[in-house]
Amino acid sequence: MSENRRAAVLGSPIAHSLSPVLHRTAYRELGLSGWTYDRFEVDETALPDFFKHLGEDGGPAWAGLSLTMPLKRAVIPLLDEITDTAASVEAVNTVVFTDDGRRHGDNTDIPGMLAALRERGVGRVARAAVLGAGATASSALAALSRICDGEVTAYVRSEARAAEMRQWGERLGVAVRTADWGDAAEALGAPLVIATTPAGTTDALAASVPDRPGALFDVLYEPWPTPLAAAWSARGGSVVGGLDLLVHQAVLQVEQMTGRAPAPLAAMRDALAAR
């Protein structure tokens, strides 16, 4: 493909984003020499104006955008259509500009989670636990709605958060039970534990990892491994990390934006390791 196209990641803050590493590697491996991928510091207030002026500089046509916090919900009113997956969690992390000029929104975090789990041999589970109740937790529930046969217990710090998680469960068709964060050590006995909390939050749980743990999906990647992930791995449990999620959701973005599949997963992962 010889045409010049461009894409970018938007968010605030954005300087730390690893998306350029992943997408530029994919373009190189796919022979898309005329494609570029940049990053732009854009917050919720500036987002409508950014969209309004897209393409006005006369440069190459836009292929797509990656969106990170705090833009995943703010972008929805600016789009022509979104997928059912994105609508299920009210979050878009991928915008593709179609040939007929439409703005198509999707969420690759959810299928990215599932792909990362499958890569580690995690398929269907009888039950699961989620640590935390933020935006990533709702995506975790959406992923679990596809692979968990039984109850999901969400460990949270407040009744308001508990109510939110129960509401997400009802919306996504997941049987959600909520429990107090003070009992979070109990979560570690579940066949699958998904930790969605900020750095440091789960460190104290490392001492409570059982002798024969199941699978842990810790969405953090900096610093890595977390104390919880290290203890889990030391006891023989399967561990999926934030970089696994990052690369798998980016693979799906590349495929949507370029129309080329499969995207070069191995090369993209190697690029992350070498950064």
Side-chain angles (χ1 to χ4, degrees):
M1 186 179 295
S2 60
E3 63 179 321
N4 297 335
R5 301 292 296 275
R6 57 179 163 175
V9 59
L10 313 181
S12 182
I14 201 61
H16 68 287
S17 174
L18 297 175
S19 292
V21 173
L22 292 164
H23 286 253
R24 291 169 186 170
T25 298
Y27 299 163
R28 184 172 62 252
E29 293 292 318
L30 293 170
L32 303 177
S33 59
W35 284 58
T36 60
Y37 188 97
D38 299 300
R39 60 166 69 92
F40 293 96
E41 180 82 17
V42 179
D43 61 15
E44 294 164 291
T45 302
L47 186 62
D49 196 56
F50 184 92
F51 266 77
K52 179 180 179 180
H53 297 292
L54 269 178
E56 290 184 356
D57 60 2
W62 282 92
L65 297 169
S66 307
L67 299 164
T68 186
M69 298 303 292
L71 305 179
K72 294 183 180 182
R73 181 170 295 180
V75 73
I76 294 176
L78 305 176
L79 305 178
D80 295 301
E81 60 202 18
I82 65 173
T83 63
D84 290 343
T85 299
S88 72
V89 291
E90 297 179 359
V92 166
N93 76 329
T94 307
V95 176
V96 174
F97 299 98
T98 63
D99 291 338
D100 60 2
R102 295 179 67 79
R103 300 167 174 176
H104 175 83
D106 194 11
N107 185 308
T108 65
D109 287 330
I110 295 165
M113 282 185 175
L114 294 170
L117 286 166
R118 283 195 303 270
E119 189 177 43
R120 293 293 191 275
V122 181
R124 301 206 67 83
V125 293
R127 59 188 178 89
V130 175
L131 301 176
T136 305
S138 61
S139 292
L141 285 181
L144 288 169
S145 73
R146 306 182 187 188
I147 63 170
C148 185
D149 295 322
E151 187 176 70
V152 175
T153 305
Y155 292 82
V156 300
R157 292 188 180 279
S158 70
E159 178 51 39
R161 288 293 198 178
E164 288 177 9
M165 289 298 280
R166 290 193 294 266
Q167 289 169 3
W168 278 116
E170 291 177 7
R171 176 171 180 165
L172 295 164
V174 181
V176 174
R177 178 178 74 87
T178 54
D180 186 82
W181 183 261
D183 298 321
E186 297 175 357
L188 308 187
L192 172 60
V193 179
I194 303 182
T196 70
T197 52
T201 308
T202 64
D203 291 0
L205 297 176
S208 300
V209 175
D211 290 337
R212 296 181 179 179
L216 170 70
F217 194 154
D218 193 329
V219 303
L220 294 173
Y221 60 81
E222 187 65 39
W224 187 261
T226 63
L228 178 60
W232 202 277
S233 181
R235 288 168 175 76
S238 179
V239 175
V240 184
L243 286 180
D244 297 307
L245 170 59
L246 187 66
V247 71
H248 277 287
Q249 63 82 27
V251 160
L252 297 169
Q253 288 186 335
V254 168
E255 291 175 353
Q256 289 193 31
M257 292 180 192
T258 67
R260 302 277 292 274
L265 171 63
M268 293 166 72
R269 176 172 277 132
D270 288 346
L272 281 184
R275 75 188 192 281

